Amino acid sequence: MPKSEVFSLHTPLPLARARQIIQAALGRGRERAFMPLTAVVLDSGGHMIAMEREDGAGVVRQQVAAGKAWGALGIGVGSRTVGARNQGRDAFMAGVAAASDGQFIPVPGGVLVIENGEAIGAVGVSGDTSDADEECAIAGIEAAGYRAGVDTPD
């Protein structure tokens, strides 16, 4: 019986670039003396490509960082915008949280990774203030040569 051919999957956000994003994000945190951070990179399907948790970071930071990135992917805008646009829409937010099995965290720190005008993944950072987390995510994305998918809330 002939050996089957195995085909690799197209990977628009490869592991090497995900690691570059994480290193630059964590590096920004060290430059600015932020609290210990955790950074997660998800592909456009919401699957984790890479994650690093700095020494001293809280044990739930991975889930929070992933939830920020997941929220950005799920709605198609940065997690800051998701939270801001949905102030006072408690039923909608509760519904999205339920639909995502609680993986949805709509606070700053989840940023889409944009290449050629398309989201190819998302980065979530957790550990310091949400604004600091978002700053690090953006720095990581830009250091890897991508555009950070952030916008201003309507």
Side-chain angles (χ1 to χ4, degrees):
M1 177 182 242
K3 182 178 174 185
S4 303
E5 189 169 357
V6 176
F7 297 93
S8 65
L9 298 174
H10 175 66
T11 308
L13 182 50
L15 177 60
R17 299 278 294 275
R19 287 178 172 157
Q20 188 178 6
I21 290 169
I22 288 174
Q23 290 307 306
L26 298 181
R28 173 62 61 92
R30 296 298 53 86
E31 288 169 11
R32 305 260 290 142
F34 291 155
M35 298 293 292
L37 301 174
T38 298
V40 171
V41 179
L42 305 179
D43 67 16
S44 60
H47 302 98
M48 189 179 298
I49 299 171
M51 185 280 297
E52 285 197 25
R53 185 178 64 86
E54 290 185 309
D55 294 344
V59 297
V60 78
R61 293 295 181 183
Q62 175 185 341
Q63 292 86 344
V64 173
K68 290 177 180 186
W70 181 268
L73 282 172
I75 302 297
V77 295
S79 60
R80 171 187 298 278
T81 303
V82 174
R85 285 185 183 167
N86 290 292
Q87 290 293 318
R89 297 181 68 199
D90 298 340
F92 173 75
M93 296 298 275
V96 172
S100 68
D101 293 326
Q103 296 182 70
F104 179 79
I105 300 180
V107 298
V111 180
L112 295 171
V113 179
I114 307 297
E115 182 178 56
N116 300 321
E118 294 184 347
I120 60 168
V123 175
V125 176
S126 179
D128 203 275
T129 67
S130 293
D131 289 340
D133 295 344
E134 181 181 70
E135 176 186 334
C136 292
I138 292 168
I141 291 165
E142 291 176 348
Y146 296 113
R147 186 170 67 83
V150 292
D151 60 5
T152 56
D154 295 337

